[in-house]
Amino acid sequence: MEFESSLTLLNSDTPFLLEKRIKLLEAIKQEGSISKAAKLVPMSYKTAWEAVDAMNNLCSNLVVKKETGGKGGGGATLTLYGENLLKTYCILEKEHKKFLKSLTKLTDFHTGNLKSLKRFAMQISARNQIVAIIKEIVEDKVSANIILETKSGQTMVSNISKNSIDALGLKIEDEIIAIFKSNNVMIATNELLGLSARNKLKAKIKNLTFSDVSCEVQLDISNDEILTSIITKQAALQLELKVNQEVFAVIKSSDIMLGK
C-alpha cells in the first residue's frame, strides 16, 4: 500500500490550480487552441473555457491569452505568467510526490501507525545549507567524491560513502543540499594552493560578531548565498578580518554532508 493524492492550490479558499487544469494548460501550450486542448485532456469545450476564465479571474495576472472565433474555436497561448505558473506547479508536484513517498516509507500499514512522524519536523543544527547541482560522481569500492556546483557557479566537493549514494539515489544533475557546520568553515585571506582541503570558496565578509572567545563571520558567496563561520577571536584578530574583505571559505570534503 502507498499514499496517493493530487496537488491543489487554493486562492482565498477557492480551488485555483487543480491537476486537470494543469493538464489543460499543458495542452493549450501544446495545441495553441482551447478547443483542441479540451479534446486532449479530455473535457468539454464549455468546461475548458470556464476553467480558463476561472484561472484568469483568480490570478493577479493573465494566465491564458485567448482569441475567439475561427474554424478551430479560436487560438490561445499561455502568457509568460502562465508559463511560470505551470513550471512552479510542476516543481511543487514533484516535491509533493516525494513527500508522499517518504510518508509511505514511514507508515506501518499493518498497524496503521506512523513509524516516526517527528522526522518530518526534524531540524538540524548545522548552520550552513546550500543548494547545489551534482555535476560528477567519482566512485571507488567504498566512497565517492560528489562534485557540486553552487548557484553562484562555484565548485564544491563532498566525500561520502558509496552506500549513501545508493540510499539517497544520487545522480548527475540532481539538486541537493550541501550541509556543513559553521565551525568546519575555515577562513583564509588567500587561496592557499598548497592546502589539502578540497573546497575553497571565494567570499566577501558581510558581518563580524565578536564574543569574549570567538568570532562569527558571515560570508557572502553570491547575492543569495550566505555562509557562517565560527573561528576564535584570536584568529580573527590575527587575520585582521574586516567587513567587505575578500577571503576564502575553506571546508574539507569529508565535512560536507548531502541532503535530498
Side-chain angles (χ1 to χ4, degrees), residues 99-252:
F99 171 80
L100 291 176
K101 187 175 180 181
S102 297
L103 191 61
T104 298
K105 289 181 180 179
L106 291 176
T107 302
D108 186 344
F109 289 102
H110 296 292
T111 63
N113 295 325
L114 282 173
K115 298 173 185 174
S116 180
L117 185 60
K118 288 183 179 179
R119 293 182 191 177
F120 286 106
M122 182 180 69
Q123 300 198 24
I124 59 176
S125 61
R127 294 279 298 276
N128 298 301
Q129 301 177 39
I130 295 181
V131 175
I133 302 296
I134 296 177
K135 289 300 180 182
E136 188 179 355
I137 299 175
V138 183
E139 298 182 58
D140 60 25
K141 293 181 180 180
V142 178
S143 63
N145 286 327
I146 312 298
I147 316 301
L148 308 169
E149 185 178 281
T150 69
K151 287 188 290 184
S152 57
Q154 299 203 60
T155 299
M156 298 180 67
V157 181
S158 172
N159 183 264
I160 61 175
S161 69
K162 188 174 180 180
N163 287 339
S164 295
I165 294 178
D166 297 333
L168 291 171
L170 300 181
K171 58 185 183 297
I172 292 174
E173 294 303 324
D174 273 356
E175 182 179 271
I176 57 85
I177 307 294
I179 305 164
F180 45 97
K181 296 179 180 180
S182 54
N183 57 10
N184 286 334
V185 181
M186 297 173 282
I187 304 292
T189 53
N190 56 62
E191 194 170 358
L192 298 175
L193 297 177
L195 193 67
S196 63
R198 297 287 299 275
N199 299 295
K200 302 163 190 172
L201 303 177
K202 291 181 179 179
K204 182 178 288 188
I205 296 177
K206 184 177 182 180
N207 191 43
L208 294 165
T209 304
F210 287 91
S211 70
D212 291 339
V213 296
S214 63
C215 178
E216 179 183 281
V217 187
Q218 281 193 326
L219 300 165
D220 187 348
I221 64 171
S222 76
N223 291 333
D224 56 354
E225 291 176 304
I226 304 295
L227 300 184
T228 301
S229 171
I230 301 293
I231 60 177
T232 65
K233 179 180 180 180
Q234 183 181 7
L237 294 175
Q238 286 178 343
L239 290 171
E240 299 180 346
L241 300 183
K242 54 185 179 295
V243 174
N244 291 326
Q245 180 180 356
E246 292 187 351
V247 295
F248 287 87
V250 182
I251 312 122
K252 293 180 180 178

Side-chain angles (χ1 to χ4, degrees), residues 22-34:
I22 288 296
K23 289 181 179 179
L24 177 62
L25 292 180
E26 290 173 337
I28 290 172
K29 181 180 179 181
Q30 176 182 323
E31 299 294 332
S33 161
I34 294 178

